[in-house]
Amino acid sequence: CQYNMAAFVDSKYVILKLKDFRLTFRRFRYKKKWATTSQKVNAVLLALQNFDMNYGMQFGQLWPSVRVSLLSEQKYGALVNNYADTENIIKSFEALSAKDFVYESRSEVPSISSDIPRDLQETRVHSALGSQQHEYLCQDILLDTSGPTGTLEASVKERLPHFSINTNIKCFTFPRGDITRFHPARPDSSGLLRYYLMDASSILPVLALNLQPGHVVLDLCAAPGGKTLALLQTECCRHLSINDISESRLSRLRGVLHSYIPRELLKEDRVCITNIDGRMWGEVNRDYFDRVLVDVPCTTDRHSVTEEDNNIFKRTRIKERQMLPLLQTQLLVSAVLAVRPGGEVVYSTCSLSQLQNECVVEHAAEILATDYGIEIQLEDLSIFRSLFQKIFQFYNDCRLGELILPHLTANFGPTYFCKLSRRK
């Protein structure tokens, strides 16, 4: 009797379970997968969380202002194409109250040099540089007034030959607080576009290179092409090597060049476009270039907090993001190896991160000294802060190089740049 009772209970339990059972053909059966059923994580939100944690500590009270600016509409500058109808486009910009900030920076020199005692301006600088260079000094160079007299004299001797403003580069911006936007560029009668819209702070690394006529130049990570176009506008490159590892980005760069530069100036004896790993350039052409610009891949902070497409904070790109400082260091080391002794390298990013900026420069300098026996000198770029402080918001506590912070009244950047000279 007990056995029959137990069997009845078991069968009743089985029947209750079968009530919820639905007969499904094998071909319609599937197993739920986590990848398709879990909620997708927004890469922009991940970037903001990462920046709030890291940049909040790095910038302190400045971060809320920088954060709002990153999330706001970016401000652009118009790089004038010297190979197109420049006269008419400059007149049209001036009619809109836009100003060429590169040319306007020259007016900053007299106001600052006037604070220096006249005997220092004439006697010491004259004796240090000679009579011919004294006139050049007064026109193009900003004197360092900090420190004692001896420091000033040493600074003048060391820094003045390195900084001159190339006024072939013409970049127009609207004044601080003016949110007027430039219209898209149109071609002139020759079919070339008259100007290129870009973040105006991206011009500063090109100016920091201090190109001189006859220089052989390498743009190591050239795409999408704004800085490359600025290099060609200087009209100083005897030969320009343009390189990028991405073939798709390089094809876009070719399109930019053909839209702005006459075909006769894009011949291989003047411009060479290559598609190789930038980390190999130090071995391919060692001790060859006069100047190297290395605008490395980075977290592109403004893009990361505004665009979901191609965002490096996607979960599928975690390893790529973690390896960025190593890649940046390798590219900078390769750039220094490619430049000749006595040549100069400018390293730049569009990130606020110290790990991608100052730390990369320090680590690369250490590797060059220990592994290659190459000594480099970090150049003082504080002159840029003095020349362009009315246009850009500089970060005062940057240990090496200069950092442009986004600001609502001057929403350019972020742009970091640092200049290294290879000792002879």
Side-chain angles (χ1 to χ4, degrees):
C1 182
Q2 292 178 354
Y3 175 78
N4 292 336
M5 190 64 181
F8 174 75
V9 173
D10 290 342
S11 61
K12 183 178 180 181
Y13 175 72
V14 171
I15 292 172
L16 289 174
K17 287 191 65 177
L18 288 176
K19 281 185 177 181
D20 297 329
F21 178 76
R22 297 178 182 178
L23 184 62
T24 306
F25 292 104
R26 184 183 296 274
R27 63 177 176 271
F28 295 126
R29 296 176 188 174
Y30 68 93
K31 180 181 178 181
K32 290 185 178 181
K33 296 182 179 179
W34 178 85
T36 58
T37 58
S38 64
Q39 186 177 4
K40 292 184 178 180
V41 180
N42 191 309
V44 169
L45 182 60
L46 285 177
L48 277 172
Q49 292 173 348
N50 183 286
F51 293 166
D52 285 337
M53 180 175 62
N54 292 293
Y55 296 160
M57 296 178 61
Q58 179 178 337
F59 295 105
Q61 295 180 351
L62 286 175
W63 171 238
S65 171
V66 175
R67 188 184 196 272
V68 170
S69 303
L70 281 175
L71 295 171
S72 302
E73 189 173 2
Q74 184 178 12
K75 194 170 183 178
Y76 286 90
L79 175 66
V80 175
N81 184 10
N82 292 328
Y83 303 103
D85 182 12
T86 58
E87 184 177 353
N88 287 332
I89 196 61
I90 289 176
K91 288 181 179 178
S92 67
F93 285 158
E94 290 175 345
L96 295 172
S97 299
K99 293 185 178 181
D100 178 3
F101 78 87
V102 179
Y103 182 81
E104 291 290 324
S105 67
R106 295 167 65 101
S107 64
E108 296 298 315
V109 177
S111 62
I112 297 179
S113 60
S114 62
D115 296 334
I116 305 173
R118 188 169 184 82
D119 60 337
L120 283 180
Q121 291 186 46
E122 296 184 356
T123 307
R124 294 180 178 245
V125 176
H126 190 278
S127 62
L129 299 178
S131 58
Q132 293 181 349
Q133 293 187 6
H134 180 229
E135 181 180 357
Y136 169 76
L137 162 69
C138 295
Q139 292 179 353
D140 290 334
I141 301 301
L142 178 67
L143 296 179
D144 181 12
T145 60
S146 61
T149 300
T151 304
L152 173 62
E153 182 178 10
S155 178
V156 168
K157 290 181 180 179
E158 182 177 353
R159 293 173 56 198
L160 289 184
H162 297 287
F163 292 102
S164 62
I165 301 301
N166 190 316
T167 52
N168 287 334
I169 296 180
K170 305 175 184 67
C171 188
F172 282 80
T173 60
F174 290 103
R176 273 181 175 256
D178 189 338
I179 60 173
T180 307
R181 296 176 61 85
F182 292 101
H183 295 294
R186 294 181 179 180
D188 64 358
S189 57
S190 65
L192 297 177
L193 295 177
R194 298 177 178 181
Y195 56 90
Y196 182 83
L197 295 180
M198 62 188 297
D199 188 326
S201 64
S202 297
I203 295 293
L204 300 185
V206 178
L207 293 176
L209 273 177
N210 189 30
L211 295 183
Q212 302 299 323
H215 273 167
V216 179
V217 184
L218 168 63
D219 191 353
L220 192 60
C221 308
K227 293 182 180 68
T228 305
L229 196 58
L231 288 171
L232 290 170
Q233 298 302 318
T234 64
E235 302 178 11
C236 289
C237 301
R238 177 164 58 89
H239 186 273
L240 175 62
S241 294
I242 303 170
N243 180 73
D244 200 275
I245 194 172
S246 170
E247 181 58 41
S248 61
R249 287 165 58 87
L250 210 55
S251 63
R252 287 169 51 197
L253 188 148
R254 289 191 181 96
V256 169
L257 293 180
H258 287 297
S259 298
Y260 288 88
I261 308 298
R263 292 186 181 275
E264 58 269 20
L265 297 181
L266 295 177
K267 296 179 180 180
E268 290 189 1
D269 61 332
R270 296 281 303 272
V271 176
C272 177
I273 301 177
T274 57
N275 176 222
I276 64 174
D277 189 337
R279 293 171 290 186
M280 303 300 296
W281 266 98
E283 304 299 332
V284 174
N285 278 336
R286 190 162 182 173
D287 305 338
Y288 180 72
F289 297 96
D290 298 295
R291 299 287 189 271
V292 178
L293 175 63
V294 50
D295 184 37
V296 296
C298 63
T299 50
T300 53
D301 292 356
R302 188 182 288 273
H303 176 85
S304 295
V305 298
T306 54
E307 299 288 341
E308 191 71 23
D309 184 46
N310 197 32
N311 195 313
I312 199 169
F313 282 86
K314 289 183 177 180
R315 283 188 166 178
T316 55
R317 302 181 68 181
I318 292 178
K319 187 171 292 185
E320 178 186 354
R321 189 172 74 250
Q322 292 174 339
M323 296 297 290
L324 271 178
L326 175 60
L327 172 62
Q328 293 161 344
T329 303
Q330 292 171 336
L331 287 169
L332 181 53
V333 169
S334 177
V336 175
L337 293 177
V339 78
R340 62 171 176 77
E344 298 174 350
V345 175
V346 170
Y347 172 83
S348 67
T349 74
C350 49
S351 172
L352 297 165
S353 171
Q354 285 183 329
L355 289 177
Q356 300 176 62
N357 297 338
E358 296 102 310
C359 293
V360 167
V361 174
E362 291 172 334
H363 191 202
E366 183 180 347
I367 292 175
L368 288 164
T370 56
D371 295 354
Y372 298 96
I374 294 176
E375 185 179 355
I376 62 172
Q377 178 181 347
L378 298 177
E379 297 290 338
D380 180 11
L381 297 178
S382 58
I383 183 174
F384 282 84
R385 191 179 308 183
S386 302
L387 289 175
F388 303 111
Q389 60 185 347
K390 292 182 180 179
I391 307 297
F392 306 108
Q393 187 75 20
F394 285 84
Y395 180 48
N396 294 326
D397 296 328
C398 191
R399 291 187 293 108
L400 303 173
E402 294 293 338
L403 177 63
I404 308 297
L405 296 178
H407 192 273
L408 285 177
T409 62
N411 205 1
F412 302 107
T415 298
Y416 172 80
F417 59 106
C418 183
K419 186 173 182 178
L420 303 86
S421 297
R422 181 173 170 180
R423 290 287 183 88
K424 294 182 180 181

